[in-house]
Amino acid sequence: MSTPNFRKGTAAFSVIFLFAACQTFPTPADRDTLMKLEQFEFIGGNLLSTKKELQLNYILEKIKGKEITEGMKTGKFPPAMHFFRARELIEQSSVFNIIQKMPKGAGLHLHEYALLSVDWLVKNATYLPNCYICFTPMDGIRFHYFSRNQQKRLANCSEWILLEQYRKQIQNVTEFDNSLYRNLTLVTENPEEAYQSQNIIWKKFANVFTAASSLISYAPVFKTYFYEALKEFYHDNVQYIEIRALLLPVYELDGTLHDKDWSIMAYQEVARQFKNDNPDFVGAKVIFSVHRKLNNSEMKTMINEAMELYKKFPEILAGFDMVGQEDAGHPLWYFKNELLIPAKMGIKLPYFFHAGETDWEGMSIDENVLDAFLLNTSRIGHGYSMNKHPVAKQFSKKFDVPLEVCPISNQVLMLVSNLQNHPAAAFMAEGHPMVISADDPAVFGARGLSYDFYEAFMGIGGLKAELTTLKQLALNSIKYSAMSAQMKAETIKLWLKKWDQFLDVVLHMFNSDEL
Amino acid sequence: MSTPNFRKGTAAFSVIFLFAACQTFPTPADRDTLMKLEQFEFIGGNLLSTKKELQLNYILEKIKGKEITEGMKTGKFPPAMHFFRARELIEQSSVFNIIQKMPKGAGLHLHEYALLSVDWLVKNATYLPNCYICFTPMDGIRFHYFSRNQQKRLANCSEWILLEQYRKQIQNVTEFDNSLYRNLTLVTENPEEAYQSQNIIWKKFANVFTAASSLISYAPVFKTYFYEALKEFYHDNVQYIEIRALLLPVYELDGTLHDKDWSIMAYQEVARQFKNDNPDFVGAKVIFSVHRKLNNSEMKTMINEAMELYKKFPEILAGFDMVGQEDAGHPLWYFKNELLIPAKMGIKLPYFFHAGETDWEGMSIDENVLDAFLLNTSRIGHGYSMNKHPVAKQFSKKFDVPLEVCPISNQVLMLVSNLQNHPAAAFMAEGHPMVISADDPAVFGARGLSYDFYEAFMGIGGLKAELTTLKQLALNSIKYSAMSAQMKAETIKLWLKKWDQFLDVVLHMFNSDEL
C-alpha cells in the first residue's frame, strides 16, 4: 500500500464535532466546513485515501455521475426499479463491472438453501439419477432421491415421478427446466401482479425454500451444493461467508438420516476443502437458526441443543438466530425465558437476531429491534425498521452492533420499492455500523454480493457514496464477522492485498486520458 | 380543559436522557424504561394527557389497531397503496372520520392554484359566461374569459371555443366535464402506467397548474375561488392557512391586468371577509413565490420586489420561496447572491424554502436542504431528503426549524410509494419539529388536511402514533406559522376550545361499553 494522504478534511473531525459544529446557526461562510462535515460523517468518509484510491475514485465518481444522470433523465434507474426488471440494466453498468472486480470481504447474512444460482440445482442436482419430483396443490414442487421402488408418498403432493424418465417423455425439456427454475426462485416478469401483498410473497418464498431444501438435503447434493456456493462467492470476489442454517436432517439414498452434527461437520469439511483448493479464500461459519413459529418448549430444546453445538464445533458454529417471516412469527420477547437460558447458565451463545424486517411500526413484532439488544445480540439481521427506534439506534451506534443490510431482499420481499428510500440511506449518511449482504441471492435471481453492493452504492448511497464507502463496507464485513481476532487480522491482510490488486486492475482498464 | 395528568413516564425524561440512558448495554430489566423512553421521544410523546384525552386515546388506538391489522391481513392498507386507489378506503375508515372532526390548526404548505376541490372549478368557474377553452398539442387545456369577439389566440393552443355554446352542441356534457376534471388533476385509474417517471408526472403537473391558473386568474373567479378554498379548509376543521403564491397577473373581462399588489390585497380582503363571516376561523397569509428556473437577474428583481411587498403588506405577506420541480431547477446556492441581498441591506424577508423534495442523493440539488439553513430559512418545505443530511438535521432540531411534511404529495409525485417508508417516520420517532400539510390537495383529489393527517397518523407514524401525536402536530402548525406572537396565542386559545369540543363529540360517538 502506498502512503495514505489526507483527502477530506482532517482527523480533527469527529462525531462530537457534528454536535459542536451545530451549536450556532450557520452562515454562508460555513458552507465548505459543513459540507465536509457531512462527507466525513458518511460511511467511509473518515478513511484516508492512497494516491491510487484517489485516482480510481475520480474515475468511479465520473462514471457513477453519468449513470445516475442518465437514470434521472430516462426514468430507468436500476435501484428505483424492481430488481427483476433492473438486473439486465445492472449487468450493463460500468459501476457494476467495477464492483464485481472489487474484493468485498465477507457475506454475513445468507441462508443455506439460497446461496447458489438455481441454474446449478436445475442443471445438475435434478439430473442426478434417482431424482423424483411431485407437485403440490398450490403450484409447488418437491424433490426426493429414492432407490428404485422405495418411494414414499408425501402428504399433499402428487405421486412421485422419476425425472430421468419424465424428461424422456416430454417434448420440450428446456421449457420444463425453465418451469423448475420458476419454482425455485421468486423471479417473474410482473412481480407486482404475481405478489400482491407481503403475505402472498412470503408464502411463495417459503414454498421455494422447501422445494430447494428437498434437493439440497440429499447428502451427495448437500456437499456439492455448498462447495459450488463457495465457488460462486469466491468468483464474485467474496473472501468469507456466514450462513444461517436450520441444520435439517440430510438423507442418503438408502433412507439413512443424518443429524445436525453431521451437517455441521459436512459444512466444515467442505469449507476446509475449498480453502485447500483456493488458499486466498478464508472460510465459512454457520449460524444455527430455527423457525420463529416454534412454541416455547420447542425453543427451549433448541437453545439447549445450540449451546451444545456451539461448544462442540467452535471452529464453524458462530451462534444462534431465528428465521421466517417476522410479521407472521412470534416476537423475540415471546422467547425471552428460553433465550436467556445461556446467560443464566453462564454459557456463551452469541446471537445474530433477525430484527426489524418489517414496515409495521408499533406492532408487537416491531419491538424486536429493541429487544434484540436486551437479549444481547451481536449483530442485527436487516434492522430495516431501526430508523423508527431512536433508542435501539443509539445502542447500535454506541456499542458498535452493526446492521446486516440486504437491499435486494428488502425490495423483492416488498418492504420498499425504490431503494433510494431504503432507511439505510440515513444510516449511511450518519456513518452507522453496517454491512451489505445478499440474504437469498439464488431466490432473487442474483449471484454473490455484487448486485447488493451495486444497489447500496448507487441507490442507497447515491452520488455521495464514494470508493471509501465501498472500502469501509468491505472492511466492516470482516470486522463484524464471527471470526477470531487472529483470523480477522489474517483476512484483513489478505483483503488489503486483493484491494491493491483491484485498484491496479481497474486503473489499467481506463486509459490515462481519463485520469 | 381538565387538569392534565401524567400519562407516560415522568417529566424527568428528556432528549439528553436518550443519550444518558444508552451509555451501558441494556439488560432485559431495562425494557419498560427503554420502551417508555422511545414513546417519550416520539412526536407528542411528552405531552401530558387529560382524562378525556386518555379515554379517547384508548378508543382511537383500539380502532386504529383493528384497521392496521386488517390492512396487514388483506394487503390493502391505504398508506401502502397509491392515494388514487386508497382514497375510497380512507373515506370508509373510522380513524379518518375522527381526524376529519379534529381541529387541525394550520395548513402551512399549500399552493394557490390547488387549494380547492376541482369540482368547484369545473361546475362553477367554467360555467360562468364568457369562458373560453382551447386545446394544446400535448393534451392540455387552457381557459380564458373574453368579451364577445375579443379573443386573442394563444400560442400553441387551438382556436378559442366558447364553453356555453360548446356544451349546447355536445351530447354528453357530464363526460365532457369529467374530461375537464381529468385535465385539472393528476387523478387517474392507473397512475403507474400514466406516469412512468418523475419527469413525466412533473410535466403533467405543470400543465394542470397552468390550466387551473388560467381559470383562477380571472378577477371574479380569483376572489370567489379563494373564499371557497377557505371554506373547504374551514369545513375540514382547519383554522388558518399559509399559501405559496406566484402572484401572477389577474385580469378583468375587458383585458385590464392587475399587479401583485392587487392580488395581495384581494387575498387580504377575502380572508378578512371570511373571518368576518366565520369568527372561529383565524385567517391566511401569503408566501410570495417565484419559479426556480429564473435566471440571476430575474431573481434579483424578484427579491427586491419581495422586500417591498413584505414592507407594504405586513399583515398578509409572510415571506418568500421558490417553486417548481426541484430536481429540474437551479439549486438554492445558484441564487446565493440574490437571496443574501435582504440580509446585506439589513432588511427583513423571511424565507420558507422548499428543500430536499428529491430522491437523488449527492446531486447538486440535494444540497438545498443544507443551503436552506445557510440562507436562514424559517421552515423547510418538504425536507424529504433531510434524513440523508445529518448536519442539516442537527440544525433543524437545534434551532427548531420545522419540516413541512406533505405525505400524499410525496407519494403522488413519486418520491415514495409506500408511506410507511416516508423518511418522516424516523423524524416522528425522534420528535423532530414538523407539521403536516397537503401541498396541492385539489390536484391529488384530496380535500383540506384530513387525508394527509390520516396518512401521517396511520402510515408514517404507525401504531406508535397516538392522540398526543395528532395534538402535537396541530399545536406545531400554529407554533411554526408566520403569525404574530399575539395571533398565535389567540389561535391556541381558540384551538384548545375546539379540541375540547372535539373530545366531547367523539367520546359521545362511542357508547360507554367501549370505554
Side-chain angles (χ1 to χ4, degrees):
Chain A
M1 296 281 292
S2 38
T3 325
N5 60 15
F6 289 80
R7 189 168 59 96
K8 313 175 185 170
T10 77
F13 281 130
S14 78
V15 178
I16 294 156
F17 189 64
L18 173 63
F19 296 94
C22 301
Q23 291 304 302
T24 52
F25 203 89
T27 70
D30 299 324
R31 192 172 197 251
D32 283 352
T33 313
L34 295 174
M35 284 180 65
K36 271 185 195 148
L37 182 56
E38 281 206 342
Q39 262 190 307
F40 183 79
E41 289 286 316
F42 202 94
I43 193 161
N46 59 2
L47 283 183
L48 303 177
S49 292
T50 62
K51 196 178 161 197
K52 278 197 270 182
E53 286 171 347
L54 286 174
Q55 287 177 339
L56 180 53
N57 188 56
Y58 177 81
I59 298 169
L60 185 60
E61 287 293 292
K62 231 170 103 176
I63 299 173
K64 192 175 177 182
K66 252 191 224 163
E67 292 188 4
I68 292 180
T69 309
E70 182 68 14
M72 282 182 86
K73 218 171 58 189
T74 58
K76 290 211 170 290
F77 182 56
M81 298 162 67
H82 195 289
F83 179 67
F84 298 165
R85 287 189 201 95
R87 189 177 46 182
E88 254 190 66
L89 284 176
I90 293 174
E91 285 161 0
Q92 291 158 24
S93 149
S94 302
V95 170
F96 178 68
N97 185 260
I98 293 171
I99 285 174
Q100 281 188 304
K101 294 184 169 54
M102 172 194 155
K104 285 168 280 290
L108 299 185
H109 190 114
L110 298 163
H111 293 271
E112 83 277 44
Y113 299 130
L115 298 169
L116 169 62
S117 297
V118 162
D119 288 346
W120 186 88
L121 283 181
V122 175
K123 293 291 170 202
N124 295 276
T126 74
Y127 275 85
L128 289 180
N130 309 307
C131 186
Y132 289 77
I133 188 170
C134 70
F135 302 91
T136 76
M138 300 297 285
D139 283 341
I141 53 175
R142 301 288 179 269
F143 301 91
H144 204 93
Y145 299 82
F146 292 107
S147 301
R148 202 140 295 225
N149 302 324
Q150 298 294 311
Q151 303 96 284
K152 279 180 208 146
R153 181 92 180 250
L154 208 63
N156 278 318
C157 217
S158 68
E159 299 242 355
W160 288 110
I161 301 162
L162 184 63
L163 275 174
E164 203 181 334
Q165 237 167 41
Y166 187 64
R167 281 203 177 94
K168 279 180 194 153
Q169 290 162 9
I170 54 177
Q171 295 214 318
N172 193 338
V173 174
T174 310
E175 177 40 41
F176 174 71
D177 285 356
N178 288 342
S179 80
L180 297 184
Y181 179 85
R182 282 194 300 275
N183 273 288
L184 288 163
T185 71
L186 289 170
V187 179
T188 175
E189 272 183 20
N190 196 342
E192 294 80 7
E193 205 178 284
Y195 312 121
Q196 301 207 353
S197 75
Q198 292 177 354
N199 291 338
I200 290 172
I201 198 164
W202 270 92
K203 257 184 210 138
K204 163 93 181 182
F205 191 39
N207 214 346
V208 161
F209 257 90
T210 314
S213 76
S214 70
L215 283 170
I216 300 166
S217 296
Y218 179 46
V221 174
F222 187 82
K223 292 189 184 179
T224 324
Y225 179 85
F226 191 52
Y227 192 94
E228 291 296 321
L230 293 177
K231 200 196 278 176
E232 195 161 281
F233 279 94
Y234 176 71
H235 284 154
D236 192 44
N237 287 302
V238 175
Q239 282 71 52
Y240 165 90
I241 63 171
E242 289 180 9
I243 62 167
R244 262 84 169 174
L246 291 163
L247 305 176
L248 297 181
V250 173
Y251 66 95
E252 300 282 357
L253 196 61
D254 63 8
T256 313
L257 286 183
H258 298 299
D259 63 3
K260 295 189 178 68
D261 285 31
W262 187 94
S263 295
I264 296 176
M265 286 188 292
Y267 282 130
Q268 183 159 317
E269 182 197 320
V270 172
R272 281 181 186 159
Q273 181 61 47
F274 189 83
K275 194 174 158 47
N276 263 346
D277 301 345
N278 306 277
D280 60 337
F281 186 78
V282 176
K285 281 188 189 280
V286 171
I287 297 166
F288 173 39
S289 303
V290 302
H291 202 283
R292 59 179 72 254
K293 278 193 169 169
L294 296 193
N295 65 32
N296 293 99
S297 100
E298 290 165 335
M299 185 60 81
K300 193 175 167 185
T301 311
M302 288 300 163
I303 286 286
N304 285 324
E305 210 170 342
M307 287 187 294
E308 272 175 46
L309 292 171
Y310 185 69
K311 201 174 149 195
K312 209 162 164 186
F313 301 103
E315 184 186 321
I316 187 127
L317 209 82
F320 184 80
D321 187 16
M322 266 172 256
V323 296
Q325 185 186 5
E326 220 173 311
D327 285 317
H330 293 301
L332 283 177
W333 199 244
Y334 177 84
F335 298 114
K336 59 180 181 302
N337 292 331
E338 294 76 29
L339 296 172
L340 288 169
I341 292 172
K344 276 189 189 139
M345 294 174 68
I347 289 174
K348 195 179 165 192
L349 180 66
Y351 290 141
F352 299 88
F353 292 130
H354 277 74
E357 192 181 2
T358 180
D359 280 332
W360 300 95
E361 187 171 9
M363 308 303 273
S364 61
I365 282 299
D366 185 43
E367 296 305 337
N368 281 357
V369 79
L370 183 56
D371 286 334
F373 288 94
L374 304 180
L375 297 165
N376 200 23
T377 198
S378 301
R379 299 197 300 253
I380 297 276
H382 295 292
Y384 182 86
S385 71
M386 197 195 267
N387 64 329
K388 299 172 182 171
H389 290 270
V391 171
K393 188 175 157 186
Q394 193 76 13
F395 283 124
S396 169
K397 181 125 191 182
K398 170 88 189 164
F399 295 99
D400 212 15
V401 175
L403 306 184
E404 301 164 351
V405 176
C406 306
I408 294 170
S409 167
N410 296 158
Q411 187 193 54
V412 172
L413 294 174
M414 297 169 68
L415 288 175
V416 60
S417 55
N418 177 351
L419 287 170
Q420 295 173 304
N421 284 314
H422 196 290
F427 290 119
M428 268 199 180
E430 295 165 4
H432 199 92
M434 69 166 79
V435 298
I436 302 300
S437 199
D439 208 359
D440 308 287
V443 175
F444 310 137
R447 210 180 314 110
L449 298 185
S450 290
Y451 292 87
D452 284 279
F453 262 76
Y454 168 90
E455 301 279 19
F457 186 59
M458 293 287 280
I460 301 181
L463 198 55
K464 275 243 184 103
E466 302 191 356
L467 185 64
T468 49
T469 309
L470 293 172
K471 188 178 182 182
Q472 185 72 65
L473 288 169
L475 288 171
N476 279 359
S477 72
I478 300 167
K479 174 183 173 189
Y480 296 120
S481 73
M483 286 187 267
S484 67
Q486 195 202 329
M487 206 169 148
K488 281 184 193 177
E490 282 165 24
T491 308
I492 292 276
K493 209 174 139 189
L494 170 76
W495 184 87
L496 281 171
K497 205 178 128 195
K498 284 183 172 285
W499 178 257
D500 217 38
Q501 287 163 353
F502 157 70
L503 296 176
D504 286 338
V505 166
V506 183
L507 284 171
H508 269 100
M509 278 167 55
F510 297 92
N511 56 44
S512 54
D513 291 359
E514 297 198 54
L515 294 181
Chain B
M1 296 283 291
S2 39
T3 326
N5 60 17
F6 289 80
R7 188 168 60 95
K8 311 176 186 169
T10 76
F13 280 131
S14 76
V15 178
I16 294 158
F17 190 62
L18 174 62
F19 295 95
C22 301
Q23 292 303 301
T24 53
F25 203 89
T27 71
D30 300 324
R31 191 170 197 252
D32 284 352
T33 314
L34 295 174
M35 284 181 66
K36 273 185 192 147
L37 182 56
E38 281 206 343
Q39 262 191 307
F40 183 80
E41 289 285 316
F42 203 94
I43 194 162
N46 59 1
L47 283 183
L48 303 177
S49 291
T50 62
K51 196 177 160 197
K52 277 198 271 184
E53 286 170 347
L54 285 175
Q55 287 177 338
L56 180 54
N57 188 56
Y58 178 79
I59 297 169
L60 185 61
E61 287 292 290
K62 232 169 99 175
I63 299 173
K64 192 176 177 180
K66 253 190 225 164
E67 292 188 5
I68 291 179
T69 309
E70 181 70 13
M72 280 181 87
K73 218 171 57 189
T74 59
K76 291 211 170 289
F77 182 56
M81 299 161 65
H82 195 289
F83 179 67
F84 298 165
R85 287 190 200 98
R87 188 174 50 181
E88 254 189 66
L89 283 177
I90 294 174
E91 285 160 1
Q92 292 159 23
S93 149
S94 301
V95 170
F96 179 67
N97 185 261
I98 293 171
I99 285 175
Q100 281 188 302
K101 293 183 169 55
M102 170 196 156
K104 283 167 282 288
L108 300 187
H109 189 116
L110 298 163
H111 292 271
E112 82 277 44
Y113 300 129
L115 299 169
L116 169 63
S117 296
V118 161
D119 288 346
W120 186 89
L121 282 181
V122 174
K123 294 292 172 203
N124 294 275
T126 74
Y127 276 85
L128 289 180
N130 309 308
C131 186
Y132 289 78
I133 189 171
C134 70
F135 302 91
T136 75
M138 300 296 285
D139 284 340
I141 52 172
R142 301 289 178 267
F143 302 92
H144 205 94
Y145 299 82
F146 292 107
S147 302
R148 201 140 295 226
N149 302 324
Q150 298 293 308
Q151 304 95 284
K152 279 181 207 144
R153 181 88 182 253
L154 208 64
N156 278 319
C157 217
S158 68
E159 298 243 354
W160 288 109
I161 300 162
L162 184 63
L163 275 174
E164 202 181 335
Q165 240 168 38
Y166 186 67
R167 282 202 177 93
K168 279 180 193 151
Q169 290 162 10
I170 55 176
Q171 295 212 316
N172 193 337
V173 174
T174 310
E175 177 39 42
F176 174 71
D177 285 358
N178 287 344
S179 80
L180 295 185
Y181 178 85
R182 283 195 299 275
N183 272 288
L184 288 163
T185 71
L186 288 171
V187 179
T188 176
E189 272 184 19
N190 195 342
E192 294 80 7
E193 202 178 285
Y195 312 122
Q196 302 206 352
S197 75
Q198 293 177 353
N199 291 337
I200 289 173
I201 199 165
W202 271 93
K203 257 185 208 138
K204 163 95 180 185
F205 191 39
N207 215 346
V208 161
F209 258 90
T210 313
S213 77
S214 70
L215 284 170
I216 300 166
S217 295
Y218 178 46
V221 174
F222 187 83
K223 292 189 183 179
T224 324
Y225 179 86
F226 191 53
Y227 191 94
E228 291 295 321
L230 293 177
K231 201 196 276 175
E232 196 161 280
F233 278 94
Y234 175 72
H235 284 152
D236 192 45
N237 288 302
V238 175
Q239 282 70 53
Y240 165 90
I241 64 171
E242 290 180 8
I243 62 168
R244 261 81 168 177
L246 291 162
L247 304 176
L248 297 181
V250 173
Y251 67 94
E252 300 282 356
L253 196 61
D254 63 7
T256 314
L257 285 183
H258 298 300
D259 63 2
K260 294 188 178 69
D261 284 32
W262 186 94
S263 294
I264 296 176
M265 285 188 292
Y267 282 129
Q268 183 160 318
E269 183 197 319
V270 172
R272 280 181 185 160
Q273 181 60 47
F274 189 83
K275 192 175 161 45
N276 261 346
D277 301 343
N278 306 278
D280 61 336
F281 186 78
V282 176
K285 283 189 189 280
V286 171
I287 297 166
F288 173 40
S289 303
V290 302
H291 202 284
R292 61 178 71 255
K293 278 194 169 167
L294 296 192
N295 64 33
N296 293 96
S297 101
E298 289 164 336
M299 185 58 81
K300 192 175 171 185
T301 311
M302 289 299 164
I303 285 288
N304 284 324
E305 211 170 341
M307 287 189 292
E308 272 174 45
L309 292 171
Y310 184 69
K311 199 173 151 194
K312 211 164 165 184
F313 302 103
E315 185 186 319
I316 186 125
L317 209 84
F320 183 80
D321 188 16
M322 266 172 257
V323 295
Q325 185 186 5
E326 219 172 312
D327 285 317
H330 294 301
L332 283 177
W333 198 245
Y334 177 85
F335 298 115
K336 60 182 182 301
N337 292 331
E338 295 75 29
L339 296 171
L340 288 169
I341 291 173
K344 275 189 189 138
M345 293 173 69
I347 290 173
K348 195 180 164 190
L349 180 66
Y351 290 140
F352 299 88
F353 292 130
H354 278 73
E357 192 181 4
T358 181
D359 279 333
W360 299 94
E361 186 171 10
M363 308 301 274
S364 60
I365 281 299
D366 185 42
E367 296 304 337
N368 281 357
V369 79
L370 183 56
D371 287 333
F373 288 94
L374 304 180
L375 297 165
N376 199 25
T377 199
S378 301
R379 299 197 301 253
I380 297 277
H382 296 291
Y384 181 86
S385 71
M386 198 194 266
N387 63 330
K388 299 172 182 171
H389 290 270
V391 171
K393 188 176 158 187
Q394 192 75 14
F395 284 125
S396 170
K397 182 124 193 185
K398 171 88 190 164
F399 295 100
D400 212 14
V401 174
L403 304 185
E404 301 163 352
V405 176
C406 305
I408 294 170
S409 167
N410 296 158
Q411 187 192 56
V412 173
L413 294 174
M414 298 168 68
L415 287 175
V416 61
S417 55
N418 178 351
L419 287 170
Q420 295 173 304
N421 284 314
H422 195 291
F427 290 120
M428 269 199 181
E430 294 165 5
H432 199 92
M434 69 166 77
V435 298
I436 302 299
S437 199
D439 208 359
D440 308 286
V443 174
F444 309 138
R447 211 180 313 109
L449 298 185
S450 289
Y451 292 87
D452 284 281
F453 263 75
Y454 168 89
E455 301 278 21
F457 186 59
M458 293 286 280
I460 301 180
L463 197 57
K464 275 246 184 100
E466 302 192 356
L467 186 65
T468 49
T469 309
L470 293 172
K471 187 178 183 181
Q472 185 72 65
L473 288 170
L475 289 171
N476 279 359
S477 71
I478 300 167
K479 174 182 172 189
Y480 295 120
S481 73
M483 287 190 266
S484 67
Q486 195 201 330
M487 207 169 149
K488 280 184 193 177
E490 283 166 23
T491 308
I492 291 277
K493 209 173 140 188
L494 170 77
W495 184 87
L496 281 171
K497 205 177 127 194
K498 283 183 173 287
W499 178 255
D500 216 36
Q501 287 163 354
F502 157 70
L503 297 175
D504 286 337
V505 167
V506 182
L507 284 171
H508 269 99
M509 278 168 53
F510 297 91
N511 57 44
S512 53
D513 290 358
E514 297 200 54
L515 294 181

